[in-house]
Amino acid sequence: MDFNDTPEQAAFRAEVRTWLAANAEAKTGSKRSLNRRIDSDRGLEMAKQWQQKKADAGYACMHFPKEYGGQGAPIIHTVIYEQEEAKYDVPTGFFSIGLGMCAPTMMAYASEEQKQRHVPPMVRGEEVWCQLFSEPGAGSDLAGLRTRAERDGDEWVVNGQKVWTSGAHYSDYGILVTRHDPTLPKHKGLTYFFLDMRSPGVEVRPIKQISGASDFNEVYFTNVRIPDSQRLGEVGAGWQVSLTTLMNERLAVGGAPPPDAADLLALARGVELEGRPALEDPATRARIAEWYVEAAGLTHIRSRSMTALARGETPGPESSIAKVVSAPKLQEVSSYGADLLDMAGILTDPQQTLSDALFQSGYLYAPGLRIAGGTDEILRNIIAERVLGLPGDIRVDRDKPFNEIPSGS
Amino acid sequence: MNFDFSDAQKALKKQTRDLLRQVCDLTVPRRVLEGEEPYADEVWKALVDMESPGIAIPEQYGGLGFGYLELCVVAEELGRSLAPTPFSSSVYLATEAILLAGTDEQKQQYLPKLAKGEIVGTFALSEGSGALSEEKLACAFADGALRGAKTPVPDGDVADFAVVVARDGDADGASLALVDLTADGVERTTVATLDPTRSHARVAFDGAAAQRLGAAGEGWKLKDRVFDRAAVLFAMEQLGGSDACLAMATDYAKGRYAFGRPIGSFQAIKHKLADMYIKNELARANDYYGAWALSTDADELALAAAAARVASTEAYHYAAKENIQTHGGIGFTWESDCHLFYRRSKLLSLNLGSARVWKDRLVTALEAQHAA
């Protein structure tokens, strides 16, 4: 047992460090990160430039095959690169859905020509992708989706609505799952496509979240025509293709943004409780310890996953707990941090409150994280059924024709 | 990065698990619970035959000279099987104290016998209700003799000697003292505890002959260092126990039918068991990191040990109580094995000081790491 790189990994890490030091600015504790300082339009422009720079230097998606814009490197190189990049203040987040979910689905199901056309521009940050899955009536029960695709010669005509689509407003392409036959049982009537987001009939409307920000959209489809050549998988195989995407989603969505236990410790040093630093308060200390243990556990689980990846093995099922631990933790740490600020805990202007309003922004962001990419409840079902092998819930809708399933509306 | 046990360590784990399955199924802790024996002698002998107590003791002192990763995998299996033996007192506490603070002569005197299981040691700190501080120590060491009482002392009624934390009459503060528990001036009374599968005693000293272990006045700090090391090993036992609870509850939820279906198909049960799994995996990750810190004597040991201890205490508490809850009424009967784990979980969580104390130690270590 050790936490050292192999000589080959160490050499690669040193090379990455040198390149990052020459090309990016290191994070400092005192300054708000780039992602929090700038708006999303400017962020996208900077992220595209950064992604291109990475691609030119051969550091973008290193584990992708060379013909699709990667380096054909072992995945551990991508992990090492990301560990090092995380120490730098660079724009992030705009490509994670495309590269983490859309690209793997395309590589698994698109034609050779389509893969060569679409994956390399994703890797270079030239084209941004989004994922059109959730609907107003299909969230946790994704297979209950209703967006219709009807065949018309060599094309499909799509009508319906998607929701919670991250980045749809700046995306060039999207992956889309639709219902082609509502008379079949729900999982069997689905068909999967990719499409140009500038196709006539696609309308993107931003959703205003409780934080006031708009990271997600509603996307409306009115007689949108998609060539049959852009179908991924067989007609009726949409559910299987979706599972490929979702498996990659669980790898892509894991951690949570700050604040965490260490931020709370720093805050507790700086505020008082009954005339003493809050860090001397036993109740506060106990809470910090509890959250630290969760954060440290997730860090060490990542080390175990990295060990497996370095050996060319699949990480164990323990890596599936990351989001269900980190999202509620973010909410509780944020809430407790605001409590420590006492009456001033309501202030959201970073200039007027300690810790850069980190706890207030975490408080407003956390509810979404507990829902996105699998709710706390769905993730527990998955652990219970896939990891512990408990029997599935009794389904009243599995074998019925979809159009006979009660919908409550 | 190689955050995993080696093949040899995994083989030792399997060997220990197989042995314990053979000699220590749950009828054994139940026999000790219901009978008069202080511990299961045949299980202790089987562990001694495997030379388990000497795993981490250097060869020059008669041990196997393996490392702490090896001892950790054994501890996990001991916890899983609820082995009713004085292993933790003798190996994690008494042996560690002597290795840490003993003179070469003391090491020569005790370690070979500890390694072979010829003697059993223990560690005596508590003097009654509440967490003790150095200033409040009543038990005193002066002129080579101990006076005062300790309770509860794990295995205090069966151990041959104890390492005692005592106020030092010749120094400013506490010292550790080695005392022969079979000698004159020692009175031992078995005490009733939440978990009778592990024996405890009140030990009173009335001028019992003792010798210092480690420097005079350094006893409290040494105790902390011994506890950091033991915390990782206790955490491994706790992890084994909470894993066993999860397996037991999962099996039961698959086989027990209510309302015409397995109860494990209800989300109320699924989410409970998923939470057990989540807590166990957070504990395992912290424990394995603690094992690494212990095996390398890393600077992070104090923080890693406290984190392992806090995570495992929480995981075992949750798994043991929700295992009973998953079983329903049958889980509350004497005949069910659920209470064996419920008892052990509380015992292990208090033997080395409560979670409250360890959370405080954790933040103290974290403060040092994030110096202002």
Side-chain angles (χ1 to χ4, degrees):
Chain A
M1 201 180 273
D2 70 68
F3 291 86
N4 306 324
D5 289 331
T6 63
E8 188 264 338
Q9 289 163 0
F12 174 69
R13 191 184 294 278
E15 177 199 313
V16 168
R17 281 183 178 165
T18 308
W19 185 80
L20 282 167
N23 289 283
E25 201 181 321
K27 278 180 186 164
T28 59
S30 59
K31 197 166 146 195
R32 276 198 299 159
S33 70
L34 192 62
N35 285 325
R36 298 192 67 217
R37 285 200 316 271
I38 55 172
D39 64 38
S40 125
D41 286 350
R42 189 156 145 58
L44 177 63
E45 221 26 67
M46 291 175 74
K48 285 188 166 185
Q49 285 165 16
W50 176 242
Q51 188 70 18
Q52 180 138 5
K53 206 168 188 178
K54 268 161 70 172
D56 288 341
Y59 292 127
C61 299
M62 298 190 72
H63 61 291
F64 282 15
K66 278 192 173 151
E67 57 270 39
Y68 309 133
Q71 302 294 320
I75 191 155
I76 196 74
H77 281 213
T78 302
V79 175
I80 289 173
Y81 177 82
E82 285 173 358
Q83 286 177 337
E84 295 302 320
E85 195 196 71
K87 299 172 191 163
Y88 285 83
D89 193 17
V90 296
T92 57
F94 295 95
F95 309 116
S96 52
I97 288 176
L99 298 174
M101 291 185 259
C102 304
T105 310
M106 289 291 283
M107 286 194 277
Y109 288 99
S111 71
E112 189 52 41
E113 194 189 336
Q114 288 167 335
K115 286 191 251 190
Q116 294 195 12
R117 158 64 187 85
H118 288 289
V119 180
M122 259 194 258
V123 171
R124 300 183 59 78
E126 291 161 1
E127 290 175 352
V128 185
W129 285 57
C130 62
Q131 176 205 15
L132 299 148
F133 271 34
S134 293
E135 295 184 7
S140 292
D141 182 16
L142 177 64
L145 61 90
R146 287 165 186 278
T147 292
R148 277 284 271 138
E150 288 169 288
R151 187 141 197 174
D152 181 22
D154 285 344
E155 291 184 322
W156 293 80
V157 180
V158 177
N159 283 284
Q161 183 197 348
K162 294 287 175 179
V163 74
W164 298 119
T165 313
S166 310
H169 53 302
Y170 53 71
S171 287
D172 301 289
Y173 288 89
I175 48 175
L176 170 72
V177 59
T178 66
R179 184 165 302 284
H180 76 277
D181 187 349
T183 67
L184 294 173
K186 65 195 285 192
H187 293 90
K188 300 206 166 92
L190 303 179
T191 298
Y192 199 119
F193 302 94
F194 71 91
L195 85 160
D196 185 334
M197 288 298 284
R198 292 181 189 83
S199 306
V202 176
E203 189 198 345
V204 178
R205 296 183 199 163
I207 297 174
K208 190 171 181 182
Q209 298 142 224
I210 64 174
S211 57
S214 291
D215 300 318
F216 307 93
N217 303 276
E218 298 176 298
V219 181
Y220 291 83
F221 295 83
T222 311
N223 294 323
V224 176
R225 302 191 81 87
I226 301 177
D228 186 56
S229 60
Q230 289 177 203
R231 172 166 46 80
L232 297 176
E234 299 300 315
V235 173
W239 185 246
Q240 286 78 350
V241 183
S242 301
L243 290 181
T244 302
T245 311
L246 294 175
M247 242 156 29
N248 283 289
E249 176 167 41
R250 252 170 267 131
L251 294 177
V253 184
D260 211 327
D263 302 294
L264 202 56
L265 182 126
L267 176 67
R269 270 201 175 112
V271 294
E272 292 199 343
L273 207 60
E274 297 181 354
R276 306 287 310 158
L279 192 51
E280 293 177 16
D281 166 47
T284 300
R285 294 173 76 81
R287 302 302 293 273
I288 292 173
E290 288 156 15
W291 289 315
Y292 173 80
V293 160
E294 292 187 354
L298 293 183
T299 302
H300 304 321
I301 285 173
R302 273 196 294 282
S303 297
R304 292 182 65 197
S305 301
M306 202 171 146
T307 301
L309 290 173
R311 291 176 184 163
E313 296 165 5
T314 309
E318 67 276 4
S319 55
S320 69
I321 73 171
K323 196 182 85 82
V324 76
V325 172
S326 60
K329 171 161 59 66
L330 173 66
Q331 192 163 41
E332 295 309 309
V333 167
S334 298
S335 175
Y336 198 83
D339 285 0
L340 285 182
L341 291 160
D342 210 75
M343 292 191 199
I346 57 175
L347 297 175
T348 53
D349 182 344
Q351 310 299 325
Q352 292 183 34
T353 180
L354 286 178
S355 298
D356 212 16
L358 197 57
F359 296 93
Q360 292 79 357
S361 62
Y363 181 77
L364 291 180
Y365 180 74
L369 198 63
R370 290 186 53 200
I371 297 163
T375 62
D376 288 0
E377 293 75 17
I378 288 290
L379 293 177
R380 283 186 171 80
N381 285 351
I382 290 172
I383 289 169
E385 293 177 21
R386 310 255 172 88
V387 182
L388 301 178
L390 291 168
D393 210 332
I394 288 178
R395 298 266 170 94
V396 294
D397 58 355
R398 184 183 285 278
D399 302 318
K400 273 190 188 169
F402 181 73
N403 56 10
E404 292 173 20
I405 297 171
S407 70
S409 58
Chain B
M1 171 81 59
N2 177 22
F3 187 32
D4 194 5
F5 292 97
S6 69
D7 288 343
Q9 287 153 1
K10 288 177 185 169
L12 174 65
K13 179 173 177 167
K14 184 175 181 304
Q15 189 191 351
T16 309
R17 191 170 183 165
D18 290 345
L19 172 85
L20 288 166
R21 269 198 188 131
Q22 237 170 47
V23 302
C24 190
D25 64 23
L26 290 177
T27 63
V28 174
R30 177 169 292 278
R31 191 189 77 213
V32 176
L33 172 75
E34 294 176 349
E36 296 299 318
E37 314 154 86
Y39 63 92
D41 192 49
E42 80 281 15
V43 178
W44 173 244
K45 288 216 167 76
L47 290 166
V48 168
D49 284 346
M50 255 184 87
E51 300 186 69
S52 304
I55 282 178
I57 296 176
E59 284 173 285
Q60 63 182 120
Y61 300 118
L64 289 175
F66 294 168
Y68 286 92
L69 293 175
E70 285 77 8
L71 187 54
C72 280
V73 297
V74 170
E76 188 176 340
E77 295 310 319
L78 289 170
R80 191 186 315 279
S81 68
L82 295 177
T85 74
F87 198 92
S88 55
S89 304
S90 199
V91 180
Y92 313 157
L93 288 165
T95 301
E96 284 304 310
I98 290 167
L99 276 168
L100 192 68
T103 60
D104 193 59
E105 196 186 337
Q106 288 167 328
K107 290 179 183 172
Q108 293 291 359
Q109 184 189 344
Y110 286 97
L111 293 176
K113 289 181 183 163
L114 284 164
K116 300 276 179 294
E118 289 163 13
I119 56 171
V120 166
T122 187
F123 195 96
L125 173 65
S126 174
E127 297 184 351
S129 301
L132 196 57
S133 64
E134 185 173 12
E135 295 70 32
K136 294 280 167 61
L137 271 174
C139 191
F141 173 76
D143 305 325
L146 274 170
R147 289 177 201 284
K150 294 283 183 183
T151 186
V153 180
D155 302 295
D157 49 351
V158 296
D160 299 282
F161 75 96
V163 177
V164 177
V165 187
R167 187 160 45 82
D168 194 325
D170 304 322
D172 185 17
S175 295
L176 299 184
L178 275 163
V179 60
D180 180 351
L181 292 178
T182 62
D184 288 347
V186 180
E187 191 186 322
R188 322 198 248 180
T189 323
T190 301
V191 291
T193 72
L194 281 174
D195 182 7
T197 67
R198 293 282 293 105
S199 195
H200 287 65
R202 179 179 189 279
V203 183
F205 304 103
D206 184 14
Q211 53 170 309
R212 251 193 220 100
L213 178 67
E218 291 296 305
W220 198 260
K221 280 186 203 142
L222 286 169
K223 181 270 295 178
D224 280 343
R225 289 181 64 198
V226 172
F227 273 27
D228 279 345
R229 304 178 70 77
V232 175
L233 298 158
F234 269 81
M236 294 297 295
E237 280 207 8
Q238 291 172 301
L239 174 65
S242 43
D243 253 359
C245 290
L246 174 58
M248 199 175 160
T250 304
D251 272 357
Y252 189 78
K254 286 177 184 171
R256 167 78 178 181
Y257 276 64
F259 305 101
R261 53 199 270 207
I263 61 168
S265 68
F266 290 105
Q267 291 195 357
I269 299 293
K270 276 187 185 159
H271 291 189
K272 188 189 290 303
L273 299 189
D275 283 337
M276 269 193 215
Y277 175 80
I278 290 165
K279 285 176 193 290
N280 285 3
E281 290 309 314
L282 288 172
R284 187 186 318 281
N286 277 294
D287 294 350
Y288 288 5
Y289 186 72
W292 166 80
L294 176 62
S295 71
T296 57
D297 210 9
D299 291 341
E300 295 92 337
L301 178 61
L303 179 58
R309 174 78 177 151
V310 169
S312 285
T313 296
E314 168 62 20
Y316 202 0
H317 173 63
Y318 186 82
K321 74 189 170 100
E322 298 306 327
N323 182 34
I324 296 180
Q325 188 70 13
T326 302
H327 279 73
I330 194 79
F332 187 58
T333 62
W334 184 262
E335 290 74 17
S336 160
D337 289 329
C338 291
H339 68 124
L340 302 180
F341 291 96
Y342 188 64
R343 291 171 186 280
R344 183 63 66 85
S345 126
K346 199 63 192 167
L347 184 89
L348 288 178
S349 82
L350 297 178
N351 263 169
L352 212 57
S354 73
R356 207 181 53 76
V357 171
W358 281 98
K359 285 174 187 173
D360 191 68
R361 285 173 73 128
L362 189 158
V363 177
T364 302
L366 200 56
E367 284 177 88
Q369 199 185 61
H370 293 258

